[in-house]
Each structure stands twice: as structure tokens, then as C-alpha cells.
Amino acid sequence: MIHLKTFGGGSAEGRAKDKALLGGKGANLAEMASLGLPVPPGFTITTEVCRYVMDHGVGTYPDGLTAEVDAAIGQVEELAGAKFGDATQPLLLSVRSGGAASMPGMMDTILNLGLNDITVEALAVQSANPRFAWDCYRRFVAMYGEVVMGVVAADEHDEPPLDVILESIKSKHKAVRDQDLTEAALREVVAALKAAIQERTGKPFPDDVRTQLWGSIGAVFASWSNPRAEVYRRTYNISATLGTAVNVQAMVFGNLGDDCATGVAFTRNPATGTAELYGEFLTNAQGEDVVAGVRTPLGLPELEKILPAAYADLVRNAKLLEDHFRDMQDLEFTIQRGKLFMLQTRNGKRTGKAMVKVAVDLVAEGKLTQREAVMRIDPAKLDEVLHPTIDPKARPPAVAKGLPASPGAAIGRIVFTANAAEEWAGRGERVILVRTDTSPEDIHGMKAAVGILTARGGMTSHSAVVARGMGKCCVTACTSLRVDAPKKKAMFVGGGKELAIKEGDTITLDGSTGEVFLGTAPLVPAQLASELGVLMEWVDSFRTLRVRTNADTPTDARTARSFGAEGIGLCRTEHMFFQPERILAVREMILAPDEAGRRAALAKILPMQRGDFAELFRVMDGLPVTIRLLDPPLHEFLPHTAKDIEEVAADVGTTPAVITSKVAELTEANPMLGHRGCRLGITFPEIYEIQTQAIAEAAAQVAAEGVVVLPEIMIPLVMVDEELRRLRALVVRVFDGVLATTGTKLAYTVGTMIELPRACVVADRIAEHADFFSFGTNDLTQTTFGLSRDDAGRFLPAYLDGGVISVDPFVALDQDGVGALIELGVRGGRTTKPGLKVGICGEHGGEPSSVEFCHRAGFDYVSCSPFRVPIARVAAARAALAETPK
Ligand code: ADP
Ligand code: MG
Ligand code: MG
């Protein structure tokens, strides 16, 4: 087992590639040190040790670790020219967490370790700045008290007790900011903090520096398992068994005076992707001050004015690191007496918009190949780019403005605590979490909310970073906002006015401008950036899988075409039946006592359907259009409330009692497995005849207009090949009849939806009558799992939370079970017809991992909702690239 690796003084034992062992932070500290960047010396205790501790219990370490830590500290002492615990030249350390995947702010960090009543005096003498020494000491005692000794708030309405002590001493001394506290006041703070720790834990704050060190190492390992880290890992599918590393590092000080600072920088703007060094800092401060959003920090252009030499170094290092890692970096730095130190670098979290722009720009700059750029795209994150924004032409006046921390528009009802956000969202409400500032403890609430609004914080505060990672709209530093969370209300103040808001009120956030609106603002579809077009060209050059759309209306079809859809993979005819002016004719058809009655009603529906299909064909000129014949159980179209029943009875000229009894007659115990799909076509062939006639006549009509029509008629829910044989014959008879009468020449195909396990098993026989298969994976998932989607809500969440299953099979295709049946079906079908066209038209057709599966399974196309078309295109390209050598 490897226990630790050291870094500093221009070299390092580890490298960036060692993330699994050293964590992202430790691996990149090593990489920066080896590149010769100014990194304070230190060492990283490995994730292997963390896993050992998880297995053997808190405080149990592998043999030999203590000696190795002592030796590594000796090395740091030498490089730093100071001694740990020394009474004249004390070395101070930071103890920092960091696992393989970045989890910003989710675990603990302790700064200024090594201070006690003796070393603090030495630091005061050595720095010639007693105020600074005591500022470090009070910070250390507070962090140690919270993180290691567990002196924290009882619940989310309580202020952290050690913060309360600081604030009360500040107000006693009339100090507005932390920096305004004098040495004497800071001494008072330290004494009060120690007393509170003793009182609350029954244990004294430890003076011995090695006790402090091991206490902190233990606490950082333990912070791997804290609740907020667990929520974060669940959100991002990070395994709980990986563990964190612990980085022990010499301190550098941003709080020694006004020529000192600490800050965060991104090598590109993480919200928009613009190529500019983008960041924030505070002078005379320590790290957590910036990221915790306690004070609103300054923008980097100010740093250039205040500390130009350090700024120039930062610009140089930023470029060097971005070029080295060939990706946008998120940097943490501290300036001590004018000298810059690099404390962290990682690939920066970014919005979907920035993801696309950075990838495309890096290719233009010659740093990435097109192929690498496509592999950098997280297809699911494209969703954000396609989201609607607030209508620029109908913008209501804003009631407040903050920083545009994460773009997009969010409309929701206000809640003031993370727990409330989770609770309300659980009831299906869209909520906006409104806080003075968010801390990492709020992660579950941020996850539940559609948007986040905070009074404090900056563009790089935890809330902003986490929100961007989640693709959630976020506005921070809304300085006119005053939140009273316990009373569930807040106020916007300014211009001598006050505007009250309370829990449950609806507001709209614009994360792209930082504006806040009362009520619901009007939205318009997203404006697509030109970079997306460039990226999609590369995507299309790599993919082999075609992408179609599920569209029932010309509007949907038009949207999908603008997103690059290459045809319609599923048009559900029943949606056309529901329109108010048609439902009556549909009901007449269902209520008709005999075939003649049904035909009479269908004759009324025919011209309407013909019109729909004609328009769809025109929109999809030159592209295939798959139309599914009627699928749902008939009773779905019938009225159910007393009022509706009366209306229908009057409309069709009968009594409510007749309607009621017909509804009862049509009601099934389990409609999902009942009289639906092609079973309707078998028992009431006239329904499928009329639908086919409408399709064929529409096709003939638009073909005459010069439109290229490629109709594909799809028969749903086939369970035995005989169903398809008969219905195919019916379709061909009617279609050919129309073509003959109208004198039209055009090719059409007839295929089936595969959505029953049996159909997968006998696919070879079904294929005899099919020109194509389209896997209906929503129903195939239901029938394979024996699980009704409408009833799954009762227990599926518990299955997911409890880890019985890891993903919802209705979201991501179950490749082991449903996928195996699909593969069987494809094989069977292509045994009979080698060229059989195969597609998918369930919701899975737009989910990246499912699209990748379809590529591997040899599909010709996937079909998904219009907004997911670009996502499916990217996923298809990534799947193709993944299997071709570079
Ligand atoms: P997180 O993972 O939450 O970002 P870090 O371990 O990066 O936690 O620590 C947070 C901040 O603490 C850093 O950004 C930095 O400003 C400060 N910090 C950490 N180590 C040191 C150090 N050795 N010297 C000075 N500041 C430090
Ligand atoms: Mg950090
Ligand atoms: Mg179905």
C-alpha cells in the first residue's frame, strides 16, 4: 500500500495522472510543483489509506504511516525554513481533503494548523504583525472546533455557534468587517472560542501540534462520509468506496496585510465560455473567505491595479496550466506580500453553453482535435443550451439584480431552506431556493430547486460553482435582498422602498443577466449560439446512427428539423384525436353499435387526419415519416366526469345512462395489457383502414405538389406474426388502392413496433411481414419488468434510494434485461431480412447511455423528442468514436 507522496521545491513524487491514488487536488498539486510553479511544499496521504480507515474504523491507520508522516513533515520543514510546533520559527500547515472526482466544498479543510498559545506569539514576532498572528489563531481554533471537535449548529435555522461568538465580539468592538478586529479583540475571540469548545465538548482545545495534525487528518477522512458529500456523490454517480486523500501543506498567508490576497480564477468565463481570465479575490483574507461567499469579492481587473506583479504571474500561470491540461482550468491562489502562490488547479465546472464554446474555441486554437472536442461534450448537458430564456421583447421590470452566476431562466415558488426545497419538490412543486448565502450543507436543496437566489456570494462562491455544475439557474450577490428564513419571508430594499416576498410566492430568475422578477415572466425558445452549429457539424461527420424525432404536430416536427432531425420516427395518431373539435367524432365512433356506425363516424375523422398528415409530410419533405396506427385503449377517449358524460350524451343524441354503461363496458382491469394496439386493428379493421386511407391520400396529395414523401406505416404492439400478416395485407390493399385511383407512384413501407418480450423472441417470424422494426422501449420496459410505469412511483424511488437498482429503467435503458431482448429481436429480424431497418422510439431514444447502446446494437436510427435531438446526435457520435481507434 502506498501511504503518501510528497511535493514541493520544484519536484513531486506524484503526477496529474495519479488522481485515483492522490485525489484530484493532490495529483494536480504534484503536477504543478513538478512544472516548477510556486506551490507551497507538502504531501498527500493517499486514498488507499482512507479506504483502510473505512475498513478498520476511525483512527486506525496502517503500520508505518506515522513515521512516514513525520519524515514528510521534516522535508516540508526544510523547504519552508520553519519547524512544526517550534517556539521561534513555527511551521503552519493546511490539511485539505480531495477525492478523485472534484466535489467543490463538500468535504473539510483546516487552515493555520500548528498554532497554540506559544507558537502564536512566535508567529507574531516573526511576522512583526501580532494582529495577523491572532487572526490566524482565531480562524484555526474556529475551524478545528467545527470540523474536528464537532461544535456546529443543531439545525439549519441555528447560526453556527462559533460564528455567533465572532459576530458578538465584532459588534461589541464596533467592527464591521473581520479585518476591523484589533489584536486585543482577536485575543478575546480566541479565548471565547476555546471556552465554548470546552463547554460544549467537555474537552479542551489541544495545544499539542501533533494531536492537532492527527485530529485533522482523521476529520478530513471522516468528511468523505458526511451527508452533503453523500448527496453530491449520488447526484453525480461517484462511488462511495473511492475515498478521499488528505493533503498536508505549508501555509502561505493572504491575510498578512493589504499587499496580500486570496482568490479564485477560471482561465475562461465558466458561465459563457468567453476566453478571458475570470475570477475574484479579496485582499487581506484567507481562502475560505472567497469561496464561502462571506464577503462579496472583487473582480480580477482590480487585482491588476492593486498587485500588478502578482497579477502578471497569475496570467502567465493560468495560460501555462490551460495549455498543459488542454482544458479550461479553475485555479485557487494566494498572494503573500506580493508573491503569488498556486494552491489548486482542476478542469473547471462550466455551463452547457460554456462547455460548447470552450470545446469549439480550443479546436480553433489548435489545442484539441475535433474528435477530442466531441469527446469532451457531456450530451446531457446540452439540454441547458436548448432551454427557453426570458422573452427579450416582453421583459417585465426587474425587482432586483445580482450576479449572473449560472444562466438560464427559472420560474418557481420561493422557499427559504434546503429542507423546504426538498419537501416542496417532493410534492411536485417547482421551487426557487432563496438564501442569504448557500453553504455546502444546502446541496440537497439546490438539487431539488429549479433555481437559486442568494443575497451574498460571488461568481465563484460554492453556490455558483455547484449550480453551474448542475446546470441550474443561479443569481448570487443580490445585495438588495434581505432574507428572514425562520419567518419564511424576505425583502428587496432599495431606493427608499421595501418589497416583501414570502414562502410560496412565485418569482422568475434570469441567470444570464442576474435579474429577478416577481411572478412568471414570458419565455421564448433558446437562441442557439453559432459554436453549437460548428460542433454539430463535427458530430454529424463522426456518427453513423441516424437521429429522428417523435413528433405528432407540424410545430414539433419543424422544431425537431431545426435541431437536425432526419425524419419522424414516431407520429402518434391518437394525439390528433384529442383535439376538441375532433373528440366528438371519435366518441361517436367508439359508441357506435356496429361497423356501419363506426364507418360513418370515421368518415368525419378522415379529412381531418388527412390534413394533419399532409402538413407533416410537407414539413418533413425528403425525410421519412413513421406514422403509428391507433394504439391506446379506446376508453381513454371517453368522458369520465358526470358533466362530460352529459355533454357527450347531448352531442351524440343519447342519454347519460347509455354513455355511462358504455364507459363501464369498455373499462378494463389493466388497460396497459388490454384491448389496445394492433388488437384494435384486428377487431375493428375499419379503424386502421380509414387511417391508412388518410395517410395514403395525404401522401398522394403532397406528392402531386412536388413534395418528396416517404411514408412508413407502423403497427403497434404485435405479439404474434399472424397479427402483422393480416394488418400488413390490409394496409397494402388500402394504400395501393389509393395510389391506383389517384394515379400516384410512391414507395411506402410497413413495419411494426416491437414492445413485447414475445415479439423479441419470435422476431424472425414477425420480420417476414415487416419492412422495419421500431423498438417501443417504454412499453418493452414495462412488459419486461412486469412493471406498470403509472404505478411504479409507489416503490421505485425506494428501490433507487436503497440501491436495489441503480438507475430508473424508464430513464436509461436497462441494457442487461431489456437490452438483451432487443439484441435478440434485432438478430432474429435480420436473420430473416438482413437489411431490416431498426430503430427505437421510446423516451430512451434521447438518453445518452441508451443511444450509445443502440449504436452498439446495430440500429439504423434513434427517435426522440425534438429537444433531445442534438443530445442524441452527440451521443451517437461519441458512441461511434469510442469504438474507432484514434
Ligand atoms: P475546497 O476543496 O473546499 O476548495 P481547499 O482544500 O481547496 O478546499 O481549501 C480551500 C481554500 O483554503 C483554498 O482555496 C485556499 O485559499 C485555502 N488554503 C488551502 N491550503 C492553503 C495553504 N497551504 N495556504 C494558504 N491557503 C490555503
Ligand atoms: Mg479548493
Ligand atoms: Mg407503446
Side-chain angles (χ1 to χ4, degrees):
M1 186 194 307
I2 300 172
H3 294 159
L4 63 80
K5 288 197 182 248
T6 61
F7 58 85
S11 67
E13 293 173 350
R15 281 297 178 275
K17 63 173 168 37
D18 302 326
K19 291 203 170 58
L21 184 67
L22 302 178
K25 198 182 287 170
N28 280 357
L29 281 168
E31 187 83 12
M32 284 199 290
S34 72
L35 287 170
L37 294 180
V39 176
F43 56 92
T44 304
I45 305 176
T46 65
T47 56
E48 285 187 15
V49 174
C50 184
R51 292 192 289 270
Y52 181 97
V53 174
M54 288 195 270
D55 289 348
H56 293 79
V58 178
T60 325
Y61 295 104
D63 286 345
L65 180 68
T66 322
E68 279 180 64
V69 167
D70 284 341
I73 287 188
Q75 198 177 320
V76 175
E77 289 175 334
E78 217 151 278
L79 286 166
K83 269 194 130 28
F84 192 43
D86 193 65
T88 48
Q89 289 282 357
L91 170 69
L92 301 197
L93 298 171
S94 69
V95 176
R96 316 170 64 186
S97 54
S102 124
M103 304 179 15
M106 293 302 137
M107 293 181 291
D108 293 322
T109 293
I110 290 155
L111 304 179
N112 311 313
L113 187 142
L115 284 174
N116 56 34
D117 292 347
I118 294 164
T119 54
V120 72
E121 299 297 354
L123 186 66
V125 173
Q126 186 206 10
S127 64
N129 188 342
R131 204 212 80 89
F132 152 74
W134 284 89
D135 185 50
C136 290
Y137 198 14
R138 66 94 186 164
R139 289 170 185 269
F140 174 49
V141 175
M143 277 192 238
Y144 196 90
E146 281 178 11
V147 173
V148 185
M149 302 188 74
V151 181
V152 291
D155 69 59
E156 60 173 0
H157 289 308
D158 278 357
E159 294 285 321
L162 301 182
D163 287 6
V164 173
I165 292 173
L166 176 67
E167 290 307 319
S168 74
I169 296 178
K170 262 162 80 180
S171 66
K172 181 175 137 197
H173 290 275
K174 307 214 160 39
V176 181
R177 303 166 307 168
D178 294 359
Q179 303 105 289
D180 302 332
L181 286 169
T182 60
E183 179 199 339
L186 289 165
R187 283 177 183 267
E188 212 181 311
V189 173
V190 169
L193 292 174
K194 284 184 170 182
I197 290 170
Q198 169 84 50
E199 192 202 335
R200 285 182 176 246
T201 66
K203 286 187 224 131
F205 170 81
D207 289 326
D208 176 58
V209 296
R210 284 202 151 63
T211 308
Q212 294 174 356
L213 177 63
W214 286 99
S216 302
I217 291 172
V220 168
F221 277 141
S223 71
W224 175 257
S225 308
N226 73 34
R228 60 184 198 248
E230 280 177 359
V231 173
Y232 192 92
R233 283 198 292 271
R234 244 179 284 135
T235 309
Y236 290 100
N237 276 324
I238 301 170
S239 160
T241 60
L242 297 173
T244 182
V246 177
N247 302 287
V248 179
Q249 189 180 26
M251 282 297 295
V252 287
F253 300 101
N255 56 334
L256 261 168
D258 290 334
D259 56 350
C260 301
T262 182
V264 182
F266 288 83
T267 58
R268 310 207 172 209
N269 186 312
T272 62
T274 305
E276 57 181 354
L277 186 64
Y278 186 86
E280 297 173 328
F281 73 101
L282 287 170
T283 53
N284 202 1
Q286 245 182 20
E288 297 289 277
D289 298 356
V290 178
V291 290
V294 175
R295 281 155 65 190
T296 299
L298 301 172
L300 278 186
E302 291 298 309
L303 184 65
E304 187 173 13
K305 290 184 210 151
I306 305 175
L307 296 164
Y311 178 79
D313 278 347
L314 179 65
V315 170
R316 203 168 26 249
N317 292 346
K319 170 148 178 36
L320 187 146
L321 287 168
E322 186 182 277
D323 289 350
H324 182 71
F325 288 105
R326 303 192 309 142
D327 199 359
M328 182 243 267
Q329 297 296 296
D330 168 356
L331 311 167
E332 292 174 13
F333 64 90
T334 283
I335 297 166
Q336 173 175 317
R337 293 200 165 129
K339 179 172 169 19
L340 175 76
F341 290 90
M342 303 303 295
L343 293 175
Q344 191 170 336
T345 189
R346 61 186 164 206
N347 293 341
K349 295 207 184 303
R350 65 204 77 178
T351 61
K353 185 177 173 173
M355 171 183 74
V356 172
K357 179 159 170 58
V358 170
V360 171
D361 286 355
L362 286 174
V363 173
E365 292 163 26
K367 289 175 193 149
L368 287 186
T369 62
Q370 294 177 1
R371 177 193 172 102
E372 286 169 325
V374 170
M375 290 312 274
R376 288 270 180 90
I377 300 297
D378 173 0
K381 238 180 135 47
L382 279 180
D383 203 26
E384 294 168 33
V385 186
L386 310 169
H387 275 331
T389 53
I390 294 167
D391 186 350
K393 290 196 220 71
R395 277 182 104 76
V399 291
K401 193 162 192 285
L403 291 175
S406 182
I411 301 174
R413 302 181 67 190
I414 301 169
V415 292
F416 294 105
T417 64
N419 287 346
E422 202 174 48
E423 230 175 86
W424 286 51
R427 298 200 298 261
E429 296 275 3
R430 298 169 62 81
V431 296
I432 290 182
L433 180 60
V434 178
R435 303 278 292 160
T436 299
D437 49 40
T438 61
S439 71
E441 282 84 11
D442 293 325
I443 171 106
H444 60 292
M446 298 177 70
K447 194 179 157 188
V450 295
I452 298 132
L453 171 65
T454 67
R456 293 205 206 134
M459 290 287 286
T460 56
S461 59
H462 281 309
S463 47
V465 171
V466 171
R468 280 196 294 271
M470 291 179 173
K472 265 185 197 163
C473 168
C474 176
V475 173
T476 58
C478 181
T479 47
S480 67
L481 173 69
R482 305 277 179 281
V483 179
D484 186 347
K487 296 220 175 86
K488 301 185 179 179
K489 58 181 198 185
M491 248 177 348
F492 294 108
V493 296
K497 278 181 287 183
E498 286 180 359
L499 184 77
I501 51 172
K502 58 177 191 318
E503 185 175 70
D505 288 355
T506 296
I507 59 169
T508 302
L509 301 182
D510 186 339
S512 309
T513 62
E515 285 167 296
V516 182
F517 308 92
L518 289 188
T520 303
L523 301 181
V524 288
Q527 307 299 305
L528 299 184
S530 62
E531 283 88 4
L532 186 63
V534 173
L535 177 80
M536 293 316 268
E537 270 177 36
W538 303 337
V539 161
D540 289 346
S541 74
F542 293 129
R543 75 187 160 93
T544 52
L545 194 63
R546 305 233 145 231
V547 178
R548 297 194 191 181
T549 190
N550 298 347
D552 306 332
T553 64
T555 312
D556 279 356
R558 240 174 254 124
T559 308
R561 232 190 141 153
S562 76
F563 286 151
E566 299 166 293
I568 291 179
L570 175 63
C571 166
R572 308 173 192 83
T573 47
E574 57 269 22
H575 286 210
M576 302 170 169
F577 282 25
F578 275 115
Q579 291 175 26
E581 68 278 14
R582 305 179 181 186
I583 187 75
L584 184 62
V586 175
R587 284 172 175 159
E588 271 181 49
M589 169 191 85
I590 298 167
L591 295 167
D594 53 19
E595 188 189 324
R598 276 193 296 279
R599 281 192 185 276
L602 281 163
K604 294 187 194 162
I605 298 169
L606 176 79
M608 304 184 206
Q609 284 241 295
R610 191 171 48 212
D612 294 330
F613 296 138
E615 193 48 33
L616 217 49
F617 288 142
R618 285 189 196 104
V619 175
M620 299 312 273
D621 187 1
L623 298 175
V625 176
T626 304
I627 297 168
R628 177 176 74 186
L629 301 185
L630 198 64
D631 179 54
L634 291 181
H635 81 100
E636 276 190 18
F637 299 104
L638 286 175
H640 292 286
T641 66
K643 189 168 153 279
D644 282 353
I645 288 176
E646 267 172 43
E647 249 173 44
V648 172
D651 278 343
V652 299
T654 178
T655 64
V658 172
I659 305 288
T660 308
S661 81
K662 190 76 188 178
V663 171
E665 191 186 306
L666 282 168
T667 300
E668 295 169 306
N670 191 343
M672 196 254 298
L673 301 176
H675 191 185
R676 55 166 291 214
C678 69
R679 299 160 196 179
L680 294 169
I682 295 287
T683 48
F684 305 129
E686 56 280 6
I687 297 181
Y688 277 19
E689 273 174 37
I690 299 286
Q691 284 200 298
T692 304
Q693 189 185 340
I695 295 166
E697 287 175 0
Q701 182 189 331
V702 298
E705 296 165 12
V707 173
V708 177
V709 203
L710 302 167
E712 303 183 332
I713 294 182
M714 182 154 77
I715 312 290
L717 210 75
V718 165
M719 60 184 177
V720 293
D721 48 318
E722 180 60 13
E723 288 170 324
L724 190 60
R725 193 193 64 75
R726 290 190 190 184
L727 293 172
R728 181 189 180 97
L730 172 152
V731 168
V732 169
R733 174 172 50 78
V734 175
F735 213 116
D736 287 351
V738 171
L739 294 183
T741 349
T742 56
T744 313
K745 273 205 165 19
L746 64 85
Y748 64 93
T749 58
V750 185
T752 179
M753 231 166 136
I754 303 283
E755 41 195 338
L756 295 172
R758 188 179 196 281
C760 294
V761 176
V762 301
D764 56 338
R765 275 183 259 159
I766 291 177
E768 308 232 344
H769 317 290
D771 302 318
F772 63 87
F773 279 180
S774 177
F775 287 88
T777 49
N778 293 343
D779 276 342
L780 188 58
T781 299
Q782 297 198 86
T783 52
T784 301
F785 278 79
L787 171 63
S788 142
R789 185 155 58 154
D790 302 325
D791 299 320
R794 305 245 171 115
F795 61 92
L796 209 54
Y799 267 51
L800 286 164
D801 283 348
V804 179
I805 56 171
S806 55
V807 282
D808 182 337
F810 294 110
V811 173
L813 187 79
D814 160 49
Q815 300 185 13
D816 295 343
V818 179
L821 279 169
I822 290 175
E823 281 167 343
L824 183 67
V826 175
R827 222 179 304 132
R830 289 202 175 139
T831 308
T832 307
K833 280 194 185 151
L836 184 78
K837 195 167 5 161
V838 174
I840 179 177
C841 62
E843 226 107 295
H844 302 102
E847 190 280 322
S849 72
S850 314
V851 173
E852 287 171 26
F853 169 84
C854 293
H855 172 88
R856 291 194 299 274
F859 278 47
D860 296 290
Y861 70 88
V862 296
S863 187
C864 56
S865 62
F867 279 91
R868 287 185 156 203
V869 167
I871 297 171
R873 285 160 72 195
V874 173
R878 289 168 53 91
L881 288 175
E883 64 185 21
T884 55
K886 288 198 184 85

